[in-house]
Amino acid sequence: MAPQELIDTIFLSDKRERFLLLLLEGPTDIKKVKEHLNVTSSSILPQIKKLRETGLVSKDDEGIYDLTTTGRLIVENLSPLACMLDVFDSKESYWETRDMDVIPHHLLENIGQLGAVEVIEPDLDHMYDLQPQLHTNILKSNHIKCLISFFHPDHIEVFNSISSAGKNLELIFTGSVMERILAESPSDMQKLIERANVDIRLFRENDYIPSLTIGDDFTYFCFFNKSHMYDHRDIISFTEGSIEWATQLFVYCRDLSVSVSYKMLSEIINGSE
């Protein structure tokens, strides 16, 4: 089979693509296929037949479907591409306007880990409020990691509120955000840094790294656009892969950050007075 024909066979049918990715997890029967893919026999069987004809899928005497050796090799190598297409699928207008150059190359290559994401468009009546999807999911989490690269006047108040409830916070602020907070609410920042369940760090490498929040079961991203402006268009994901990818980005920035102590904060505040 020609390479283009093979690509068309896999990617021009959502059912065929999802079926192959399901078989990558292990052999299965038609009943489980219909349950996992939420399809009917009449809709999936013609797609399975085509995959069997191309030699990617086999079926034994007990009706169990599996990837052939060739099929497994191909699908294993196409799986990262399929995941990446899933991230960008039907969201081109969002991603094509984002500044992706600030993402470390090794993470950009694996952005398919994000999986299915939801683009959150700004509500013009509440443009400058914290997004409800973010606030609600933060409140449901017990351990929150945040990389903050744009200033929001409610950030410190929210962080003080959830940390006073005993939740663990790891916060990384970019230099420009830290300067703005110290200029507008130094006492609130001092209150936050005094809490034993809060770790605060300062990241000075790049002011336009995406803001992100990682909770117990969600990730929330605020990417800057290509003009280095935050336009209130965010994405949220609840996949394990998105949490893993976001955590890698957070750790990358944490390793390049310095810990902010109470003494250091006092010196910054007193020095600016």
Side-chain angles (χ1 to χ4, degrees), residues 52-68:
R52 292 179 66 194
E53 290 173 348
T54 58
L56 298 175
V57 172
S58 64
K59 179 184 177 184
D60 66 18
D61 295 337
E62 297 180 357
I64 302 298
Y65 295 102
D66 197 4
L67 292 169
T68 62

Side-chain angles (χ1 to χ4, degrees), residues 214-266:
I214 309 168
D216 293 347
D217 59 3
F218 82 100
T219 50
Y220 193 97
F221 296 89
C222 306
F223 285 85
F224 288 94
N225 63 25
K226 289 184 177 179
S227 299
H228 287 162
M229 300 290 291
Y230 172 57
D231 58 12
H232 301 270
R233 300 180 69 206
D234 307 329
I235 58 173
I236 190 170
S237 179
F238 297 91
T239 67
E240 291 183 7
S242 72
I243 294 175
E244 181 180 344
W245 190 89
T247 300
Q248 290 180 54
L249 178 56
F250 184 87
V251 170
Y252 169 84
C253 293
R254 185 177 64 193
D255 289 345
L256 294 172
S257 302
V258 294
S259 180
V260 178
S261 65
Y262 180 81
K263 179 181 178 181
M264 174 183 175
L265 188 63
S266 299

Side-chain angles (χ1 to χ4, degrees), residues 80-210:
L81 175 59
C83 292
M84 188 170 294
L85 291 175
D86 191 34
V87 172
F88 297 121
D89 181 38
S90 73
K91 302 174 182 66
E92 297 90 347
S93 62
Y94 174 79
W95 289 110
E96 70 186 9
T97 60
R98 300 303 100 184
D99 177 15
M100 306 300 288
D101 293 338
V102 297
I103 304 297
H105 184 68
H106 69 283
L107 288 175
L108 196 57
E109 286 184 328
N110 295 320
I111 199 169
Q113 281 187 280
L114 293 181
V117 300
E118 175 189 350
V119 177
I120 299 172
E121 300 286 350
D123 178 353
L124 296 180
D125 292 331
H126 303 281
M127 176 72 79
Y128 301 105
D129 297 344
L130 284 179
Q131 289 288 353
Q133 295 95 325
L134 173 60
H135 196 219
T136 299
N137 283 286
I138 282 181
L139 294 180
K140 293 191 297 185
S141 299
N142 291 311
H143 197 132
I144 301 109
K145 298 181 178 71
C146 293
L147 171 60
I148 303 105
S149 52
F150 72 91
F151 176 81
H152 192 289
D154 293 340
H155 272 152
I156 298 301
E157 181 181 348
V158 170
F159 293 148
N160 269 313
S161 175
I162 58 180
S163 63
S164 65
K167 303 185 183 223
N168 295 309
L169 287 179
E170 293 183 64
L171 306 174
I172 302 175
F173 295 92
T174 60
S176 60
V177 173
M178 177 67 81
E179 289 173 9
R180 179 81 179 272
I181 292 172
L182 294 180
E184 298 198 7
S185 53
S187 60
D188 289 333
M189 177 61 89
Q190 280 189 324
K191 188 187 304 181
L192 186 62
I193 203 171
E194 289 175 345
R195 300 188 190 278
N197 55 327
V198 179
D199 178 69
I200 297 179
R201 292 177 176 269
L202 180 61
F203 179 74
R204 291 191 179 275
E205 298 293 318
N206 192 316
D207 280 347
Y208 301 109
I209 199 78

Side-chain angles (χ1 to χ4, degrees), residues 19-32:
F19 176 67
L20 290 171
L21 292 175
L22 176 62
L23 290 185
L24 199 56
E25 301 175 7
T28 190
D29 58 25
I30 190 63
K31 180 181 179 181
K32 291 181 180 177

